[in-house]
Amino acid sequence: MSLASRMIGNRYGLPPASGRAKAEKGLQIPGADGQILLADRYYPADSGDSSDTGERTPPPILLIRSPYGRGALFGAGQGLLFAERGYQVVIQSCRGTSGSAGPFVPQVHEKADGLAALEWIRSQPWYGGTIATIGPSYLGYTQWAVAGEKEAQLAAIVPTITMPHFALPTYDGGSFSLANSLEWSSMMANMRQGGLAMARVMLAQLRGGSPALRRGMATLPLSESDTAVLGRHVDFYQDWLTHGPDDEYWTRQDHRPTLANVTAPVLMVTGWYDIFLPWQIESYQLLRDAGNPPRLVVGPWFHVSRDAAGPTMTETLAFLDAQVRGIGPAPDPIVRAYVTGEGGGWREYPHWPPPGIVPTTYHLQPGGNLSTDEPAAGGEPDVIRYDPADPTPSLGGPRLGRDAGAQDNAALEARADVLTYTGPPLAAPVQFAGTVTASIEASSDRETFDVFVRLCDVSPAGVSTNVCDRLVRLAPDPQAPPGTVRAASLQLWPAAHHFQTGHRIRVQVSCGAHPRYARNLGTGEPLASATTMLTATQHIHHDAAHPSSVVLPVLPTAAS
């Protein structure tokens, strides 16, 4: 056992290794068009090398297809750990990354190249009849690209913190996910400069972003934002800016239609503040509706949470041992979810959303109040003046870096362009699990504007902590000229939270969350080229004729 894998295994609390591992580096695997994609194979030392398998059945194979290299992060962190516990691990670099031929164009080649890799593996002397796939984020997308194809014939799949369709998180709510898109694009572009450049970019992003990234996120037009960061354009980022979510550019890379074909057992692990959570939950529902309920684990984590690594590895190993190697009982296909908030903790539910939830409506009221009472007639709306030159900032929530997750919202709520509506101290706990919905009645002096809604937990000391949120962009509508009251309907990020006795439920309403979402400049000009900024005045209505509300999927006391 290597020192690195021993340290990682101890930190994650994994079962002890069953033996030593060896590695075979630089395997040349033909892509779908014959281009050579490089891979490394890790395997138990006592299983024989590529030319010496003997009469023993070779160990099962885990395929990992990654654009992030095959070095220490995946070598020790995935290859050695699993090989020392009875698996072969093939880590393949995606096209155009880490020595693999061709240009890297996100999503485009993953289905064809993934199926070609599976076909090549099955022709090797060390193939013993069983292949499964594992991996987080983009590595999960590469799994969805092949999992529903009949040629895949996978024994199990473990797609974590991921989704099967990139357009959805890129254009969430009809806006553009600027921060996550620009951060990831710049990281991938820097990979071409070598490992040290990539490491510097990743470290800066995890710490909250580099000065260059912050400059890029403030740049207009957005078509120049990548140049502001890198000094050059990134072709695929430019494509993202100019192709809307319904464009064929995206739809041909959508693997949701094949999820119903997946018959292999599935484990999903994600976090309440993960950038892909709504679409991971959607994938769970599609599989469940097709008769293949996955095991779903959701922790109090964001996309790069260090705390998620150990539980994810433990769940993955137990799942694969049972489903692939027949060791131990198969984990139940249930939902294991961490309920956030004081008095929360891990819970198990038969499915998601949990049974027995009671939709409970909380209405925005005059004076910044929130209650289950119906709003009175004739109330005056509240006003938000949104200035894209000084945009309402994003704070915490689903972000790519370590500035994500639950945060103290005091500074945000002190801004004049953020409204808050707060309920009284709770006489009894309120626990919910599922998707909070919001309907905000709003009007604007502009043809297009955004509505951002955030649910917060306010402690007795007055600390307001975000639970879940989302933004929706109201596009220009000929039937709704400026001044028309329009309904902004949102499904907030899925969540499970416990509001303790004495705490208060708060709803924030604003008209932006930059740079998580690109600014709405108020002109309706094309996303990539717009530069003119117009201040907008929005009215948030909350009277009987135009009620605004959020609906919490509350769990009965016995179930919580």
Short mmCIF file of all heavy atoms in Angstrom, two decimals, residues 24-90:
data_model
loop_
_atom_site.label_atom_id
_atom_site.label_comp_id
_atom_site.label_asym_id
_atom_site.label_seq_id
_atom_site.Cartn_x
_atom_site.Cartn_y
_atom_site.Cartn_z
N GLU A 24 -0.37 0.29 -14.59
CA GLU A 24 0.09 0.22 -15.97
C GLU A 24 -0.28 1.55 -16.62
O GLU A 24 -1.47 1.85 -16.80
CB GLU A 24 -0.60 -0.95 -16.67
CG GLU A 24 -0.11 -1.20 -18.08
CD GLU A 24 -0.80 -2.41 -18.72
OE1 GLU A 24 -1.72 -2.99 -18.10
OE2 GLU A 24 -0.41 -2.78 -19.85
N LYS A 25 0.71 2.36 -16.93
CA LYS A 25 0.47 3.73 -17.36
C LYS A 25 0.50 3.87 -18.89
O LYS A 25 1.18 3.11 -19.58
CB LYS A 25 1.54 4.66 -16.76
CG LYS A 25 1.61 4.65 -15.23
CD LYS A 25 0.37 5.26 -14.62
CE LYS A 25 0.47 5.40 -13.11
NZ LYS A 25 1.42 6.44 -12.69
N GLY A 26 -0.22 4.85 -19.38
CA GLY A 26 -0.15 5.22 -20.78
C GLY A 26 -0.80 4.26 -21.75
O GLY A 26 -0.35 4.14 -22.91
N LEU A 27 -1.85 3.58 -21.33
CA LEU A 27 -2.58 2.71 -22.27
C LEU A 27 -3.16 3.55 -23.39
O LEU A 27 -3.69 4.65 -23.16
CB LEU A 27 -3.71 1.98 -21.54
CG LEU A 27 -3.31 1.03 -20.41
CD1 LEU A 27 -4.55 0.48 -19.73
CD2 LEU A 27 -2.45 -0.11 -20.95
N GLN A 28 -3.10 3.06 -24.60
CA GLN A 28 -3.60 3.78 -25.77
C GLN A 28 -4.93 3.17 -26.20
O GLN A 28 -4.97 2.07 -26.76
CB GLN A 28 -2.58 3.75 -26.90
CG GLN A 28 -1.27 4.44 -26.55
CD GLN A 28 -0.35 4.59 -27.74
OE1 GLN A 28 -0.73 4.30 -28.88
NE2 GLN A 28 0.87 5.04 -27.49
N ILE A 29 -6.00 3.89 -25.93
CA ILE A 29 -7.35 3.41 -26.24
C ILE A 29 -7.90 4.22 -27.40
O ILE A 29 -8.00 5.45 -27.30
CB ILE A 29 -8.27 3.53 -25.01
CG1 ILE A 29 -7.69 2.75 -23.82
CG2 ILE A 29 -9.67 3.05 -25.35
CD1 ILE A 29 -8.53 2.84 -22.56
N PRO A 30 -8.27 3.59 -28.50
CA PRO A 30 -8.82 4.36 -29.62
C PRO A 30 -10.17 4.96 -29.27
O PRO A 30 -11.04 4.30 -28.68
CB PRO A 30 -8.97 3.30 -30.73
CG PRO A 30 -8.10 2.16 -30.31
CD PRO A 30 -8.12 2.16 -28.82
N GLY A 31 -10.35 6.25 -29.61
CA GLY A 31 -11.65 6.87 -29.47
C GLY A 31 -12.58 6.41 -30.57
O GLY A 31 -12.23 5.54 -31.39
N ALA A 32 -13.75 6.99 -30.63
CA ALA A 32 -14.75 6.55 -31.60
C ALA A 32 -14.28 6.72 -33.03
O ALA A 32 -14.69 5.97 -33.92
CB ALA A 32 -16.05 7.31 -31.37
N ASP A 33 -13.42 7.72 -33.28
CA ASP A 33 -12.94 7.98 -34.63
C ASP A 33 -11.50 7.54 -34.83
O ASP A 33 -10.85 7.92 -35.80
CB ASP A 33 -13.06 9.47 -34.95
CG ASP A 33 -12.28 10.34 -33.96
OD1 ASP A 33 -11.70 9.78 -33.01
OD2 ASP A 33 -12.26 11.57 -34.15
N GLY A 34 -10.98 6.75 -33.89
CA GLY A 34 -9.62 6.25 -34.00
C GLY A 34 -8.56 7.11 -33.33
O GLY A 34 -7.41 6.67 -33.19
N GLN A 35 -8.91 8.32 -32.90
CA GLN A 35 -7.96 9.15 -32.15
C GLN A 35 -7.57 8.42 -30.87
O GLN A 35 -8.41 7.78 -30.22
CB GLN A 35 -8.59 10.50 -31.81
CG GLN A 35 -8.92 11.35 -33.04
CD GLN A 35 -7.86 12.39 -33.31
OE1 GLN A 35 -6.67 12.14 -33.11
NE2 GLN A 35 -8.28 13.55 -33.77
N ILE A 36 -6.31 8.54 -30.47
CA ILE A 36 -5.82 7.80 -29.31
C ILE A 36 -6.05 8.61 -28.04
O ILE A 36 -5.60 9.75 -27.90
CB ILE A 36 -4.32 7.47 -29.46
CG1 ILE A 36 -4.12 6.55 -30.67
CG2 ILE A 36 -3.78 6.84 -28.18
CD1 ILE A 36 -4.85 5.22 -30.56
N LEU A 37 -6.75 7.99 -27.10
CA LEU A 37 -7.00 8.57 -25.79
C LEU A 37 -6.22 7.76 -24.75
O LEU A 37 -6.30 6.52 -24.74
CB LEU A 37 -8.50 8.56 -25.46
CG LEU A 37 -9.44 9.11 -26.55
CD1 LEU A 37 -10.87 9.15 -26.04
CD2 LEU A 37 -9.00 10.50 -27.02
N LEU A 38 -5.49 8.45 -23.90
CA LEU A 38 -4.61 7.77 -22.95
C LEU A 38 -5.35 7.38 -21.67
O LEU A 38 -6.31 8.04 -21.25
CB LEU A 38 -3.43 8.67 -22.61
CG LEU A 38 -2.51 9.05 -23.77
CD1 LEU A 38 -1.31 9.85 -23.26
CD2 LEU A 38 -2.04 7.82 -24.54
N ALA A 39 -4.86 6.31 -21.06
CA ALA A 39 -5.47 5.81 -19.83
C ALA A 39 -4.41 5.13 -18.97
O ALA A 39 -3.36 4.70 -19.47
CB ALA A 39 -6.60 4.83 -20.14
N ASP A 40 -4.67 5.03 -17.69
CA ASP A 40 -3.86 4.26 -16.74
C ASP A 40 -4.74 3.19 -16.12
O ASP A 40 -5.94 3.42 -15.88
CB ASP A 40 -3.29 5.16 -15.64
CG ASP A 40 -2.36 6.24 -16.17
OD1 ASP A 40 -1.83 6.07 -17.29
OD2 ASP A 40 -2.19 7.25 -15.47
N ARG A 41 -4.13 2.03 -15.89
CA ARG A 41 -4.86 0.94 -15.23
C ARG A 41 -4.20 0.59 -13.91
O ARG A 41 -2.98 0.36 -13.85
CB ARG A 41 -4.90 -0.31 -16.12
CG ARG A 41 -5.65 -1.50 -15.47
CD ARG A 41 -5.79 -2.67 -16.43
NE ARG A 41 -4.54 -3.39 -16.62
CZ ARG A 41 -4.23 -4.56 -16.05
NH1 ARG A 41 -5.10 -5.15 -15.24
NH2 ARG A 41 -3.08 -5.16 -16.31
N TYR A 42 -4.99 0.58 -12.86
CA TYR A 42 -4.54 0.14 -11.54
C TYR A 42 -5.20 -1.21 -11.26
O TYR A 42 -6.38 -1.40 -11.55
CB TYR A 42 -4.93 1.16 -10.47
CG TYR A 42 -4.23 2.49 -10.63
CD1 TYR A 42 -4.72 3.45 -11.52
CD2 TYR A 42 -3.09 2.80 -9.90
CE1 TYR A 42 -4.08 4.67 -11.68
CE2 TYR A 42 -2.45 4.02 -10.06
CZ TYR A 42 -2.96 4.94 -10.95
OH TYR A 42 -2.32 6.15 -11.10
N TYR A 43 -4.44 -2.12 -10.67
CA TYR A 43 -5.00 -3.45 -10.46
C TYR A 43 -4.34 -4.11 -9.25
O TYR A 43 -3.21 -3.77 -8.87
CB TYR A 43 -4.81 -4.33 -11.70
CG TYR A 43 -3.38 -4.47 -12.16
CD1 TYR A 43 -2.61 -5.58 -11.76
CD2 TYR A 43 -2.77 -3.52 -12.97
CE1 TYR A 43 -1.29 -5.73 -12.17
CE2 TYR A 43 -1.45 -3.67 -13.38
CZ TYR A 43 -0.72 -4.77 -12.98
OH TYR A 43 0.58 -4.91 -13.38
N PRO A 44 -5.03 -5.04 -8.60
CA PRO A 44 -4.44 -5.75 -7.47
C PRO A 44 -3.17 -6.48 -7.89
O PRO A 44 -3.14 -7.14 -8.95
CB PRO A 44 -5.53 -6.73 -7.04
CG PRO A 44 -6.80 -6.14 -7.57
CD PRO A 44 -6.42 -5.45 -8.84
N ALA A 45 -2.13 -6.38 -7.09
CA ALA A 45 -0.83 -6.96 -7.47
C ALA A 45 -0.91 -8.46 -7.65
O ALA A 45 -0.17 -9.03 -8.47
CB ALA A 45 0.21 -6.60 -6.41
N ASP A 46 -1.81 -9.12 -6.94
CA ASP A 46 -1.88 -10.58 -7.03
C ASP A 46 -2.80 -11.05 -8.16
O ASP A 46 -3.05 -12.25 -8.29
CB ASP A 46 -2.33 -11.17 -5.70
CG ASP A 46 -3.72 -10.71 -5.28
OD1 ASP A 46 -4.34 -9.92 -6.04
OD2 ASP A 46 -4.18 -11.12 -4.20
N SER A 47 -3.30 -10.12 -8.98
CA SER A 47 -4.21 -10.52 -10.06
C SER A 47 -3.48 -10.72 -11.38
O SER A 47 -4.09 -11.10 -12.38
CB SER A 47 -5.32 -9.48 -10.25
OG SER A 47 -4.79 -8.25 -10.72
N GLY A 48 -2.17 -10.40 -11.42
CA GLY A 48 -1.41 -10.55 -12.65
C GLY A 48 -1.45 -9.29 -13.49
O GLY A 48 -2.36 -8.48 -13.38
N ASP A 49 -0.42 -9.14 -14.35
CA ASP A 49 -0.38 -7.96 -15.21
C ASP A 49 -1.16 -8.23 -16.49
O ASP A 49 -1.87 -9.23 -16.62
CB ASP A 49 1.06 -7.53 -15.51
CG ASP A 49 1.85 -8.63 -16.22
OD1 ASP A 49 1.23 -9.49 -16.87
OD2 ASP A 49 3.10 -8.61 -16.11
N SER A 50 -1.03 -7.34 -17.47
CA SER A 50 -1.85 -7.40 -18.68
C SER A 50 -1.61 -8.66 -19.50
O SER A 50 -2.44 -9.04 -20.31
CB SER A 50 -1.61 -6.16 -19.55
OG SER A 50 -0.25 -6.08 -19.92
N SER A 51 -0.45 -9.32 -19.32
CA SER A 51 -0.14 -10.51 -20.13
C SER A 51 -0.15 -11.78 -19.30
O SER A 51 0.17 -12.84 -19.80
CB SER A 51 1.23 -10.33 -20.79
OG SER A 51 2.24 -10.17 -19.79
N ASP A 52 -0.51 -11.65 -18.01
CA ASP A 52 -0.45 -12.81 -17.12
C ASP A 52 -1.66 -12.84 -16.22
O ASP A 52 -1.64 -12.41 -15.07
CB ASP A 52 0.84 -12.77 -16.28
CG ASP A 52 0.92 -13.94 -15.29
OD1 ASP A 52 0.27 -14.96 -15.56
OD2 ASP A 52 1.61 -13.78 -14.27
N THR A 53 -2.78 -13.31 -16.74
CA THR A 53 -3.99 -13.42 -15.94
C THR A 53 -4.22 -14.83 -15.44
O THR A 53 -5.04 -15.05 -14.55
CB THR A 53 -5.22 -12.99 -16.77
OG1 THR A 53 -5.29 -13.80 -17.94
CG2 THR A 53 -5.11 -11.53 -17.16
N GLY A 54 -3.47 -15.80 -15.99
CA GLY A 54 -3.62 -17.18 -15.55
C GLY A 54 -5.02 -17.69 -15.79
O GLY A 54 -5.71 -17.27 -16.71
N GLU A 55 -5.46 -18.61 -14.93
CA GLU A 55 -6.80 -19.17 -15.08
C GLU A 55 -7.80 -18.49 -14.15
O GLU A 55 -8.97 -18.83 -14.12
CB GLU A 55 -6.76 -20.68 -14.79
CG GLU A 55 -5.90 -21.45 -15.79
CD GLU A 55 -5.92 -22.94 -15.52
OE1 GLU A 55 -6.58 -23.35 -14.54
OE2 GLU A 55 -5.29 -23.68 -16.28
N ARG A 56 -7.33 -17.55 -13.34
CA ARG A 56 -8.23 -16.84 -12.45
C ARG A 56 -9.07 -15.84 -13.22
O ARG A 56 -8.62 -15.25 -14.20
CB ARG A 56 -7.43 -16.09 -11.38
CG ARG A 56 -6.64 -17.01 -10.43
CD ARG A 56 -5.66 -16.21 -9.62
NE ARG A 56 -4.64 -15.58 -10.48
CZ ARG A 56 -3.68 -14.79 -10.03
NH1 ARG A 56 -3.61 -14.50 -8.75
NH2 ARG A 56 -2.78 -14.27 -10.87
N THR A 57 -10.29 -15.63 -12.75
CA THR A 57 -11.12 -14.59 -13.35
C THR A 57 -10.60 -13.23 -12.91
O THR A 57 -10.48 -12.97 -11.70
CB THR A 57 -12.59 -14.74 -12.91
OG1 THR A 57 -13.08 -16.01 -13.32
CG2 THR A 57 -13.45 -13.63 -13.51
N PRO A 58 -10.26 -12.37 -13.84
CA PRO A 58 -9.74 -11.05 -13.46
C PRO A 58 -10.76 -10.27 -12.62
O PRO A 58 -11.97 -10.45 -12.77
CB PRO A 58 -9.48 -10.37 -14.80
CG PRO A 58 -9.31 -11.49 -15.78
CD PRO A 58 -10.24 -12.55 -15.30
N PRO A 59 -10.28 -9.41 -11.74
CA PRO A 59 -11.18 -8.63 -10.89
C PRO A 59 -12.08 -7.70 -11.72
O PRO A 59 -11.76 -7.36 -12.86
CB PRO A 59 -10.23 -7.81 -10.01
CG PRO A 59 -8.91 -8.49 -10.10
CD PRO A 59 -8.86 -9.12 -11.45
N PRO A 60 -13.22 -7.30 -11.15
CA PRO A 60 -14.10 -6.37 -11.86
C PRO A 60 -13.40 -5.04 -12.13
O PRO A 60 -12.47 -4.65 -11.41
CB PRO A 60 -15.29 -6.20 -10.91
CG PRO A 60 -14.78 -6.62 -9.57
CD PRO A 60 -13.75 -7.67 -9.82
N ILE A 61 -13.84 -4.37 -13.16
CA ILE A 61 -13.21 -3.14 -13.63
C ILE A 61 -14.10 -1.94 -13.34
O ILE A 61 -15.32 -1.99 -13.59
CB ILE A 61 -12.92 -3.22 -15.14
CG1 ILE A 61 -11.92 -4.35 -15.42
CG2 ILE A 61 -12.39 -1.89 -15.68
CD1 ILE A 61 -11.81 -4.71 -16.89
N LEU A 62 -13.51 -0.89 -12.82
CA LEU A 62 -14.18 0.40 -12.66
C LEU A 62 -13.61 1.36 -13.70
O LEU A 62 -12.40 1.60 -13.73
CB LEU A 62 -13.96 0.96 -11.26
CG LEU A 62 -14.32 0.04 -10.08
CD1 LEU A 62 -14.04 0.75 -8.76
CD2 LEU A 62 -15.78 -0.40 -10.16
N LEU A 63 -14.46 1.89 -14.55
CA LEU A 63 -14.03 2.85 -15.57
C LEU A 63 -14.32 4.26 -15.09
O LEU A 63 -15.45 4.57 -14.69
CB LEU A 63 -14.75 2.58 -16.89
CG LEU A 63 -14.50 3.62 -18.01
CD1 LEU A 63 -13.02 3.66 -18.40
CD2 LEU A 63 -15.38 3.33 -19.23
N ILE A 64 -13.30 5.10 -15.15
CA ILE A 64 -13.41 6.52 -14.82
C ILE A 64 -12.95 7.30 -16.04
O ILE A 64 -11.81 7.15 -16.48
CB ILE A 64 -12.54 6.90 -13.61
CG1 ILE A 64 -12.96 6.10 -12.37
CG2 ILE A 64 -12.59 8.40 -13.35
CD1 ILE A 64 -12.03 6.29 -11.18
N ARG A 65 -13.81 8.12 -16.60
CA ARG A 65 -13.44 8.96 -17.74
C ARG A 65 -13.45 10.41 -17.28
O ARG A 65 -14.48 10.93 -16.86
CB ARG A 65 -14.39 8.75 -18.92
CG ARG A 65 -14.40 7.29 -19.42
CD ARG A 65 -15.05 7.16 -20.79
NE ARG A 65 -14.27 7.90 -21.79
CZ ARG A 65 -14.64 9.06 -22.33
NH1 ARG A 65 -15.79 9.62 -22.00
NH2 ARG A 65 -13.87 9.68 -23.22
N SER A 66 -12.27 11.07 -17.36
CA SER A 66 -12.08 12.37 -16.72
C SER A 66 -11.34 13.35 -17.62
O SER A 66 -10.41 12.96 -18.32
CB SER A 66 -11.29 12.18 -15.42
OG SER A 66 -10.86 13.42 -14.90
N PRO A 67 -11.71 14.64 -17.56
CA PRO A 67 -10.91 15.66 -18.24
C PRO A 67 -9.88 16.32 -17.33
O PRO A 67 -9.22 17.27 -17.72
CB PRO A 67 -11.97 16.69 -18.65
CG PRO A 67 -12.96 16.65 -17.53
CD PRO A 67 -12.97 15.21 -17.05
N TYR A 68 -9.74 15.81 -16.09
CA TYR A 68 -8.93 16.49 -15.07
C TYR A 68 -7.58 15.83 -14.82
O TYR A 68 -6.95 16.09 -13.80
CB TYR A 68 -9.71 16.57 -13.75
CG TYR A 68 -11.05 17.24 -13.88
CD1 TYR A 68 -12.21 16.61 -13.42
CD2 TYR A 68 -11.18 18.49 -14.47
CE1 TYR A 68 -13.45 17.22 -13.53
CE2 TYR A 68 -12.41 19.10 -14.59
CZ TYR A 68 -13.54 18.46 -14.11
OH TYR A 68 -14.77 19.07 -14.24
N GLY A 69 -7.14 14.99 -15.70
CA GLY A 69 -5.84 14.37 -15.53
C GLY A 69 -5.93 13.02 -14.85
O GLY A 69 -6.98 12.61 -14.35
N ARG A 70 -4.79 12.32 -14.81
CA ARG A 70 -4.73 10.98 -14.23
C ARG A 70 -3.69 10.92 -13.10
O ARG A 70 -3.28 9.83 -12.70
CB ARG A 70 -4.36 9.95 -15.31
CG ARG A 70 -5.24 9.99 -16.54
CD ARG A 70 -4.93 8.88 -17.54
NE ARG A 70 -3.53 8.83 -17.94
CZ ARG A 70 -2.97 9.63 -18.85
NH1 ARG A 70 -3.71 10.57 -19.46
NH2 ARG A 70 -1.69 9.53 -19.15
N GLY A 71 -3.29 12.07 -12.59
CA GLY A 71 -2.22 12.13 -11.59
C GLY A 71 -2.68 11.78 -10.20
O GLY A 71 -3.58 10.96 -10.00
N ALA A 72 -2.09 12.46 -9.22
CA ALA A 72 -2.27 12.08 -7.82
C ALA A 72 -3.72 12.08 -7.39
O ALA A 72 -4.17 11.19 -6.67
CB ALA A 72 -1.44 13.02 -6.93
N LEU A 73 -4.50 13.10 -7.83
CA LEU A 73 -5.89 13.20 -7.38
C LEU A 73 -6.67 11.94 -7.71
O LEU A 73 -7.42 11.42 -6.88
CB LEU A 73 -6.55 14.41 -8.04
CG LEU A 73 -8.04 14.62 -7.72
CD1 LEU A 73 -8.25 14.85 -6.24
CD2 LEU A 73 -8.60 15.78 -8.54
N PHE A 74 -6.50 11.43 -8.92
CA PHE A 74 -7.24 10.24 -9.31
C PHE A 74 -6.40 8.98 -9.15
O PHE A 74 -6.95 7.90 -8.92
CB PHE A 74 -7.73 10.38 -10.75
CG PHE A 74 -8.77 11.44 -10.89
CD1 PHE A 74 -8.45 12.67 -11.44
CD2 PHE A 74 -10.05 11.23 -10.43
CE1 PHE A 74 -9.41 13.67 -11.56
CE2 PHE A 74 -11.01 12.22 -10.53
CZ PHE A 74 -10.69 13.45 -11.10
N GLY A 75 -5.08 9.11 -9.27
CA GLY A 75 -4.23 7.94 -9.11
C GLY A 75 -4.32 7.35 -7.72
O GLY A 75 -4.70 6.19 -7.52
N ALA A 76 -3.94 8.17 -6.71
CA ALA A 76 -4.01 7.69 -5.32
C ALA A 76 -5.43 7.73 -4.79
O ALA A 76 -5.87 6.84 -4.06
CB ALA A 76 -3.08 8.54 -4.44
N GLY A 77 -6.16 8.79 -5.16
CA GLY A 77 -7.49 8.99 -4.59
C GLY A 77 -8.54 8.04 -5.14
O GLY A 77 -9.56 7.84 -4.49
N GLN A 78 -8.35 7.48 -6.30
CA GLN A 78 -9.32 6.55 -6.87
C GLN A 78 -8.64 5.24 -7.28
O GLN A 78 -9.03 4.17 -6.80
CB GLN A 78 -9.99 7.20 -8.09
CG GLN A 78 -10.71 8.50 -7.81
CD GLN A 78 -12.03 8.30 -7.10
OE1 GLN A 78 -12.72 7.30 -7.32
NE2 GLN A 78 -12.39 9.23 -6.24
N GLY A 79 -7.63 5.34 -8.15
CA GLY A 79 -7.02 4.13 -8.68
C GLY A 79 -6.45 3.21 -7.62
O GLY A 79 -6.84 2.03 -7.51
N LEU A 80 -5.53 3.72 -6.80
CA LEU A 80 -4.91 2.87 -5.79
C LEU A 80 -5.90 2.42 -4.72
O LEU A 80 -5.88 1.26 -4.29
CB LEU A 80 -3.74 3.62 -5.14
CG LEU A 80 -2.49 3.80 -6.01
CD1 LEU A 80 -1.47 4.67 -5.29
CD2 LEU A 80 -1.88 2.45 -6.37
N LEU A 81 -6.75 3.33 -4.27
CA LEU A 81 -7.69 2.97 -3.20
C LEU A 81 -8.56 1.78 -3.59
O LEU A 81 -8.74 0.85 -2.80
CB LEU A 81 -8.57 4.17 -2.86
CG LEU A 81 -7.98 5.23 -1.93
CD1 LEU A 81 -8.97 6.34 -1.71
CD2 LEU A 81 -7.60 4.61 -0.59
N PHE A 82 -9.10 1.80 -4.79
CA PHE A 82 -9.98 0.71 -5.20
C PHE A 82 -9.18 -0.53 -5.60
O PHE A 82 -9.62 -1.67 -5.35
CB PHE A 82 -10.88 1.16 -6.35
CG PHE A 82 -12.04 2.01 -5.91
CD1 PHE A 82 -12.01 3.38 -6.08
CD2 PHE A 82 -13.14 1.44 -5.31
CE1 PHE A 82 -13.07 4.17 -5.68
CE2 PHE A 82 -14.21 2.22 -4.89
CZ PHE A 82 -14.17 3.59 -5.08
N ALA A 83 -8.03 -0.35 -6.22
CA ALA A 83 -7.22 -1.51 -6.60
C ALA A 83 -6.74 -2.26 -5.37
O ALA A 83 -6.62 -3.50 -5.39
CB ALA A 83 -6.04 -1.07 -7.46
N GLU A 84 -6.43 -1.55 -4.31
CA GLU A 84 -6.01 -2.21 -3.06
C GLU A 84 -7.16 -2.89 -2.35
O GLU A 84 -6.95 -3.60 -1.36
CB GLU A 84 -5.37 -1.17 -2.14
CG GLU A 84 -4.02 -0.67 -2.66
CD GLU A 84 -3.52 0.56 -1.93
OE1 GLU A 84 -4.30 1.16 -1.15
OE2 GLU A 84 -2.36 0.94 -2.14
N ARG A 85 -8.36 -2.72 -2.86
CA ARG A 85 -9.54 -3.33 -2.25
C ARG A 85 -10.27 -4.24 -3.23
O ARG A 85 -11.47 -4.47 -3.11
CB ARG A 85 -10.46 -2.25 -1.69
CG ARG A 85 -9.85 -1.58 -0.46
CD ARG A 85 -10.48 -0.25 -0.10
NE ARG A 85 -9.89 0.25 1.12
CZ ARG A 85 -8.72 0.90 1.21
NH1 ARG A 85 -8.02 1.12 0.09
NH2 ARG A 85 -8.24 1.32 2.36
N GLY A 86 -9.52 -4.74 -4.25
CA GLY A 86 -10.04 -5.81 -5.07
C GLY A 86 -10.57 -5.45 -6.44
O GLY A 86 -11.17 -6.31 -7.11
N TYR A 87 -10.36 -4.22 -6.90
CA TYR A 87 -10.87 -3.80 -8.20
C TYR A 87 -9.73 -3.44 -9.15
O TYR A 87 -8.66 -3.03 -8.72
CB TYR A 87 -11.78 -2.57 -8.06
CG TYR A 87 -13.04 -2.82 -7.28
CD1 TYR A 87 -13.06 -2.67 -5.89
CD2 TYR A 87 -14.20 -3.22 -7.92
CE1 TYR A 87 -14.21 -2.91 -5.16
CE2 TYR A 87 -15.36 -3.46 -7.20
CZ TYR A 87 -15.36 -3.31 -5.82
OH TYR A 87 -16.50 -3.56 -5.11
N GLN A 88 -10.01 -3.58 -10.43
CA GLN A 88 -9.19 -2.92 -11.43
C GLN A 88 -9.83 -1.55 -11.70
O GLN A 88 -11.06 -1.43 -11.71
CB GLN A 88 -9.14 -3.71 -12.73
CG GLN A 88 -8.51 -5.09 -12.61
CD GLN A 88 -8.42 -5.76 -13.96
OE1 GLN A 88 -7.53 -5.47 -14.75
NE2 GLN A 88 -9.35 -6.66 -14.23
N VAL A 89 -9.00 -0.54 -11.93
CA VAL A 89 -9.50 0.80 -12.21
C VAL A 89 -8.83 1.32 -13.47
O VAL A 89 -7.60 1.38 -13.53
CB VAL A 89 -9.23 1.77 -11.04
CG1 VAL A 89 -9.87 3.13 -11.32
CG2 VAL A 89 -9.76 1.19 -9.72
N VAL A 90 -9.63 1.65 -14.46
CA VAL A 90 -9.12 2.25 -15.69
C VAL A 90 -9.52 3.73 -15.67
O VAL A 90 -10.71 4.05 -15.66
CB VAL A 90 -9.68 1.56 -16.94
CG1 VAL A 90 -9.20 2.29 -18.21
CG2 VAL A 90 -9.25 0.10 -16.98
#
